Amino acid sequence: MAHPDIAIPAVPADLAPPRGHYSHAVRAAGLVFVSGELPVAADGRLLNDASFEEQARQVLANVAAALRAAGSSVDKLVQVRVYVTDVEQWPAFNAIYAAWCGDARPARVVVPVPQLHYGFQVEVEATALA
């Protein structure tokens, strides 16, 4: 049984169910913790053959959906962690991210990694105010 101070929201229709033993988002201590989101479409399709830009947009859409399901939003983001398999993609990601964030400017780190699950090019996890 989960701890009574931890809330796990239902998976919204615009987000595919988790592919493992985790929740997309968890509310605790006034915060929302969003798991590493990958470029998986709401219908469960893996976008591993899509362009980096399409993967980045899907990942950010998934983060936003997880935040909404937990009663939060992009403007309440506190920290964002981005994992990319090619650091040369950072400028492209930064442009897409800036448009997605709007006026929100959470703390952020971009980490180059050798590979991601399913051959994806980008993964994003986040923490926000509830």
Side-chain angles (χ1 to χ4, degrees):
M1 179 187 291
H3 190 280
D5 293 334
I6 297 173
I8 300 172
V11 177
D14 56 346
L15 196 57
R19 298 176 78 74
H21 188 75
Y22 66 93
S23 300
H24 283 292
V26 174
R27 288 177 60 127
L31 297 171
V32 173
F33 300 90
V34 177
S35 293
E37 293 296 325
L38 293 165
V40 178
D43 64 5
R45 282 179 302 114
L46 304 180
L47 303 182
N48 49 354
D49 290 332
S51 70
F52 177 84
E53 291 80 6
E54 187 178 348
Q55 288 191 33
R57 286 185 187 91
Q58 184 65 60
V59 165
L60 295 174
N62 292 349
V63 170
L67 288 168
R68 280 191 307 276
S72 189
S73 60
V74 172
D75 64 328
K76 293 182 179 181
L77 283 167
V78 176
Q79 185 178 32
V80 176
R81 287 159 299 283
V82 181
Y83 305 95
V84 294
T85 58
D86 182 355
V87 76
E88 297 299 319
Q89 296 288 5
W90 184 86
F93 181 84
N94 194 55
I96 293 165
Y97 176 86
W100 176 78
C101 273
D103 292 335
R105 295 180 76 87
R108 184 182 74 180
V109 63
V110 177
V111 182
V113 296
Q115 66 184 32
L116 291 167
H117 203 47
Y118 304 114
F120 290 131
Q121 299 177 58
V122 60
E123 181 172 358
V124 174
E125 64 175 312
T127 305
L129 297 174

